Amino acid sequence: MPLKEIGAIVLVLLVIVIVGNLWFHFVESILERIRQLLHRKKEPPAWHPLPPEGEDQDQP
């Protein structure tokens, strides 16, 4: 294979990777906006049942 053909193949593969990356970020941003519309400002649930740090645990 001549060097120009190898360079052309590498260039085509690079373009495919760049377009795929842009497409991925485009779709992810659309999905994030849809999630924001469906879940408006809800606080996430606590993932642990521990009491707040300010309470004394030595009291009977």
Side-chain angles (χ1 to χ4, degrees), residues 24-41:
F24 172 78
H25 287 291
F26 176 70
V27 170
E28 282 294 316
S29 66
I30 290 174
L31 289 175
E32 183 63 30
R33 288 185 185 188
I34 291 172
R35 286 185 198 119
Q36 286 177 354
L37 288 174
L38 294 177
H39 305 289
R40 289 185 180 224
K41 303 198 183 204

Side-chain angles (χ1 to χ4, degrees), residues 45-59:
W47 60 275
H48 60 81
L50 296 175
E53 292 181 17
E55 294 180 10
D56 293 333
Q57 297 194 5
D58 294 335
Q59 297 175 356

Side-chain angles (χ1 to χ4, degrees), residues 1 3 8-9 12 16 18 21-22 24 29 35 39 43 49 54:
M1 275 184 138
L3 205 53
I9 291 173
V12 168
I16 290 173
I18 291 171
N21 197 5
L22 290 174
F24 172 78
S29 66
R35 286 185 198 119
H39 305 289
E43 292 193 24

